[in-house]
Amino acid sequence: TNSVRIVAPTNKAGRDECHAAYMVLKNTRCSIVNLAADATEDAKAFTKAVKTEADRLIAITTAEEERLQSLRDAYDAEVEAEKQLKIAAERLRVETIAKAIQSIRDLPLMAVGKSSQEISALIGGLISSEPDASFEEFIEQAKVARYEALDKLAAMETAQRVVEVQAESDRQEAARQAAIAEEARIAEVARVEAERLELARQRAENERIANEQAAERR
């Protein structure tokens, strides 16, 4: 614009020139504002029309959209339910095998306090029940648990046999000592009875002698 050269008017001509430039700019601004207002109204009307048409079209498709969503969600729910059933079945399978392996590991605990004969029976049962295909991918763990349990049971059986042999030896020694004590008691009773009988015999003999002496004196 040429108005940039206008600074401070010094006369009426300068003032008129400044006013003329000002009015040009003002009129231009007003024209722009009016055009913008008109365009805004047109835009609002267009936006309203677009929204009305969009609402109409959405109303047409909403029901079908909801129906399809329902079908999709029902399918997804069925797939998820089947997935959860498979997960639960797998968890149960693994837990069942784990319990079977743990029952093998627990055999030595069950043998605590049992006789060597009972422990031997546990060993026999474990020997005859080697892990089979029912342990599936955990069969090696089952075999290791079985070997470890057999080792522990064998050691427990040996230790229990030592205890039982010692107990039997102690019982026999106690019985022998009891028999010796009983023999000693019987011998003591016989000795006391013999002494009593001897004293009674001596007393009777003394009385007889005394009676004979008394009879001679009379």
Side-chain angles (χ1 to χ4, degrees):
T1 179
N2 294 325
S3 62
V4 294
R5 62 183 178 77
I6 299 174
V7 287
T10 58
N11 52 40
K12 186 176 184 305
R15 186 262 179 201
D16 291 342
E17 183 184 18
C18 180
H19 175 71
Y22 159 72
M23 291 303 297
V24 169
L25 292 175
K26 178 180 179 181
N27 292 333
T28 301
R29 176 177 61 79
C30 290
S31 296
I32 292 172
V33 170
N34 291 333
L35 288 173
D38 293 341
T40 299
E41 291 300 321
D42 291 341
K44 287 181 179 179
F46 177 75
T47 300
K48 183 177 180 181
V50 169
K51 184 177 184 305
T52 300
E53 181 63 14
D55 291 342
R56 185 184 70 81
L57 295 175
I58 289 173
I60 295 173
T61 62
T62 297
E64 183 64 8
E65 176 187 352
E66 292 176 350
R67 185 183 73 84
L68 295 176
Q69 181 183 9
S70 177
L71 292 175
R72 183 205 64 186
D73 291 348
Y75 173 82
D76 290 346
E78 183 177 354
V79 170
E80 181 63 20
E82 291 179 357
K83 177 182 176 182
Q84 293 303 320
L85 284 175
K86 290 179 180 179
I87 291 174
E90 175 63 11
R91 184 184 301 113
L92 178 61
R93 182 187 72 85
V94 173
E95 288 177 353
T96 300
I97 296 175
K99 288 179 180 179
I101 294 174
Q102 188 61 44
S103 67
I104 296 175
R105 294 193 179 105
D106 289 342
L107 282 175
L109 292 177
M110 295 174 58
V112 174
K114 294 187 179 297
S115 67
S116 61
Q117 185 175 2
E118 291 173 318
I119 297 174
S120 179
L122 289 175
I123 292 174
L126 192 55
I127 290 175
S128 64
S129 59
E130 186 171 352
D132 54 21
S134 64
F135 288 92
E136 301 184 31
E137 72 270 29
F138 301 100
I139 189 168
E140 292 302 321
Q141 294 183 25
K143 289 180 178 180
V144 170
R146 177 172 174 267
Y147 293 145
E148 291 176 349
L150 283 172
D151 287 343
K152 291 178 181 178
L153 287 172
M156 294 176 70
E157 181 190 22
T158 299
Q160 184 60 26
R161 287 191 183 280
V162 171
V163 170
E164 290 172 356
V165 168
Q166 184 61 45
E168 179 61 20
S169 176
D170 293 345
R171 187 192 65 77
Q172 292 179 359
E173 177 61 20
R176 189 180 70 83
Q177 293 295 334
I180 292 173
E182 181 64 15
E183 290 177 359
R185 186 189 67 80
I186 293 173
E188 179 64 16
V189 170
R191 183 187 65 78
V192 171
E193 180 64 16
E195 289 182 354
R196 186 186 66 78
L197 292 174
E198 178 61 22
L199 288 174
R201 187 191 65 78
Q202 290 179 2
R203 188 179 299 111
E205 180 64 18
N206 290 337
E207 289 179 357
R208 184 187 63 78
I209 293 171
N211 290 334
E212 288 179 353
Q213 290 175 350
E216 289 175 357
R217 285 195 299 272
R218 284 195 298 272

